Amino acid sequence: MNSWLLDTISRADELAPILAIEQRSFRWPWGRLSFEGELTCRNACNLIVKSSENGVGEQVIAYAFLRLAADELHILKIAVASAWRSKGIGTRLAERCLKMGAERGATSAHLEVRPSNTAAVGLYQKLGFDVIGRRHNYYTDSKEDALVMMKNLKEEL
């Protein structure tokens, strides 16, 4: 990933930069307990992207939280720090998630996304996801529906 380093996260004491990105990225962000739960989930894979650019030292600039359920990869969260958006990081991170899921036996990837999050919807469509359904009133904060999207992963290997 250019000058970015992809790594895993497995300890709660590593969550501070993720929580900061989360707070700035979502109207109703996950709390610490939700992330801690994912860290202890046996079928979860949690990725971070780090950069040492801008002379700031190594910093977390993006993350993805995923779960593998049978042969399905579920993308629960992907976020990129606002200063690092529009640089291809989200695309590269999502591509790596899909490849990793396929390597671990997933034949499809699934996610929910707000229709109003046009940047995310566009990214997922660019990656080959199709809308396969809608969950009405899914988001409790706004009663907004969620688009259910899926991608076949058989071509990812």
Side-chain angles (χ1 to χ4, degrees):
M1 295 182 104
N2 296 340
S3 60
W4 311 315
L5 170 69
L6 183 67
D7 202 358
T8 59
I9 178 173
S10 59
R11 298 185 345 252
D13 64 350
E14 299 175 305
L15 285 174
I18 290 169
L19 290 167
I21 295 168
E22 179 78 4
Q23 290 291 319
R24 291 184 194 105
S25 298
F26 299 101
R27 279 188 294 191
W28 282 83
W30 278 13
R32 176 175 280 280
L33 288 177
S34 296
F35 285 106
E36 288 176 353
E38 289 306 309
L39 294 177
T40 62
C41 182
R42 176 171 75 91
N43 296 324
C45 183
N46 311 304
L47 302 173
I48 55 175
V49 178
K50 295 178 181 179
S51 175
S52 57
E53 293 179 14
N54 295 340
V56 180
E58 195 170 82
Q59 60 181 326
V60 174
I61 59 172
Y63 60 87
F65 280 69
L66 322 161
R67 278 197 195 176
L68 195 60
D71 64 347
E72 296 178 353
L73 175 68
H74 292 266
I75 299 174
L76 305 175
K77 280 279 181 178
I78 292 183
V80 177
S82 58
W84 293 88
R85 292 182 187 149
S86 300
K87 298 178 188 287
I89 297 167
T91 300
R92 300 282 298 277
L93 178 58
E95 288 170 342
R96 181 63 192 118
C97 292
L98 297 172
K99 185 172 191 225
M100 185 191 63
E103 291 169 349
R104 293 184 180 194
T107 59
S108 60
H110 302 260
L111 58 85
E112 289 93 10
V113 63
R114 292 177 189 263
S116 63
N117 188 346
T118 56
V121 172
L123 168 65
Y124 298 133
Q125 288 174 330
K126 180 175 86 172
L127 292 171
F129 279 84
D130 294 311
V131 175
I132 61 165
R134 185 178 279 265
R135 298 193 197 284
H136 295 287
N137 299 320
Y138 183 77
Y139 295 99
T140 57
D141 61 325
S142 63
K143 303 295 184 211
E144 187 174 2
D145 294 351
L147 297 178
V148 180
M149 300 184 80
M150 186 195 88
K151 175 182 172 57
N152 183 329
L153 294 182
K154 291 180 181 160
E155 68 273 3
E156 290 301 313
L157 288 176

